[in-house]
DNA sequence: TTGTAATAAATGTATATACATTAAATACAT
DNA sequence: ATGTATTTAATGTATATACATTTATTACAA
């Protein structure tokens, strides 16, 4: 449905303002779905994302600031998300020997197991929830990469 | 820049999973910019959005639940956002005569003035921050409308 | 070597999201 | 007319975002 109808608003003044609203609205649509998907596993979307980052390094550790760099939301707070995941025993924290300011984070077996349980479900969700053809989704990816400049 | 490079991650398993991450990441890029833009006016992005909804009805009032329907984030909490705007004297709240469960919200002169001060700046921001041609931004809007199914 | 700057992580505070629950008012069936 | 269900807004709680500040450690220049 056209975004103007979904949020019952008058036509936009220009296509850029429309795109801004359209992107924010679509994000909300996606995050709402993701939240429901992850909920049975006791994870929020951002916690899931941090786990994926850690799995990408496994079995190597990664510091808190490197996690922050790779997070989808640059203004988020890796430190507190890691703490939440530690409480769920999905990550380990260890002081870094070479630089004691840093903290090495590693995903645990429980974390890896949770991710693998979610894997197929997530892929199916992504495909089903994004109502675009293969060609269209490629187009969208290209436009988004360009958008950010 | 390609999303894989920005968040330093391995190639995605499929284009849909990439699009999911790409959309979330782009949203964060946009909201970060918007936050900075609105900050001098003491508004958050969602507060700005609620003000725009109210201006769309002005001089008629609109109920809290109608605001919720038109918000970008359906899971948000119109009641609390309205309370914040009332504290800034940008909206008025009045019990609805026909149905005393409902509350009629109207934008104030101060709210309208704030929006008009922001208007040109917002349009410029949207255009400058989205690095796409007119044609590309139309394409993006069409893809997003279709994506949500 | 000593002082200053820079960096890493944690913490504090305000705002917002996600979702459940409550309280008041209204709708509606019996 | 009365009781039950529904609707509207507000509130409670956990999580996350945005941004400033603090603490500890390291880097580096005078």
């Amino acid at each position: 449905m056209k975004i103007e109808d979904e949020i019952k608003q008058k036509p936009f003044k220009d296509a850029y303002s429309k795109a801004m609203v359209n992107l924010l609205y679509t994000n909300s649509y996606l995050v709402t779905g993701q939240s429901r998907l992850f909920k049975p596993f006791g994870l929020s979307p951002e916690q899931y994302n941090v786990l994926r980052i850690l799995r990408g390094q496994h079995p190597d550790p990664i510091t808190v600031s490197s996690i922050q760099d790779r997070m989808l939301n640059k203004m988020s707070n890796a430190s507190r998300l890691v703490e939440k995941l530690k409480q769920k025993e999905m990550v380990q924290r260890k002081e870094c020997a070479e630089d004691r300011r840093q903290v090495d984070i590693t995903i645990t077996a429980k974390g890896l197991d949770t991710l693998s349980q979610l894997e197929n479900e997530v892929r199916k969700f992504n495909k089903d929830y994004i109502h675009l053809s293969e060609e269209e989704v490629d187009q969208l990816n290209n436009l988004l990469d360009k958008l950010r400049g």
Side-chain angles (χ1 to χ4, degrees), chain A:
Chain A
M1 202 199 290
K2 279 181 72 184
I3 182 73
E4 290 94 332
D5 301 328
E6 296 215 45
I7 61 174
K8 303 175 188 93
Q9 94 147 43
K10 297 166 189 167
F12 288 92
K13 295 215 171 126
D14 61 277
Y16 294 93
S17 299
K18 175 169 169 171
M20 178 67 70
V21 169
N22 218 342
L23 283 159
L24 301 183
Y25 187 73
T26 303
N27 181 74
S28 167
Y29 163 80
L30 297 173
V31 171
T32 298
Q34 275 202 331
S35 292
R36 289 203 194 104
L37 176 63
F38 297 139
K39 184 144 210 187
F41 296 84
L43 290 175
S44 69
E46 272 307 338
Q47 287 173 13
Y48 169 77
N49 185 46
V50 171
L51 278 188
R52 274 194 338 125
I53 292 167
L54 291 169
R55 184 179 56 184
Q57 297 304 306
H58 186 262
D60 294 331
I62 180 175
T63 65
V64 173
S65 59
S66 292
I67 294 173
Q68 185 83 61
D69 282 346
R70 291 158 201 232
M71 280 174 63
L72 300 179
N73 199 312
K74 296 300 179 215
M75 291 299 134
S76 192
N77 197 313
S79 182
R80 275 186 274 233
L81 285 170
V82 164
E83 173 58 26
K84 289 286 158 63
L85 290 170
K86 198 191 160 203
Q87 281 166 21
K88 298 185 225 275
E89 299 176 321
M90 292 186 185
V91 307
Q92 266 184 331
R93 205 158 34 187
K94 202 163 75 72
E95 191 181 79
C96 183
E98 309 92 70
D99 184 342
R100 277 164 44 216
R101 287 172 302 187
Q102 297 187 24
V103 180
D104 276 342
I105 313 296
T106 322
I107 189 168
T108 63
K110 186 176 174 187
L112 288 168
D113 182 54
T114 305
L115 280 186
S116 78
Q117 278 182 261
L118 267 163
E119 191 149 10
N120 290 331
E121 239 179 300
V122 167
R123 194 182 338 220
K124 186 169 173 358
F125 168 82
N126 290 341
K127 180 141 190 164
D128 294 348
Y129 215 61
I130 295 177
H131 301 94
L132 295 177
S133 69
E134 292 275 355
E135 198 186 332
E136 288 166 335
V137 81
D138 285 339
Q139 256 183 52
L140 176 63
N141 277 317
N142 290 333
L143 287 170
L144 292 173
D145 287 346
K146 181 161 184 220
L147 181 155
R148 295 186 304 271

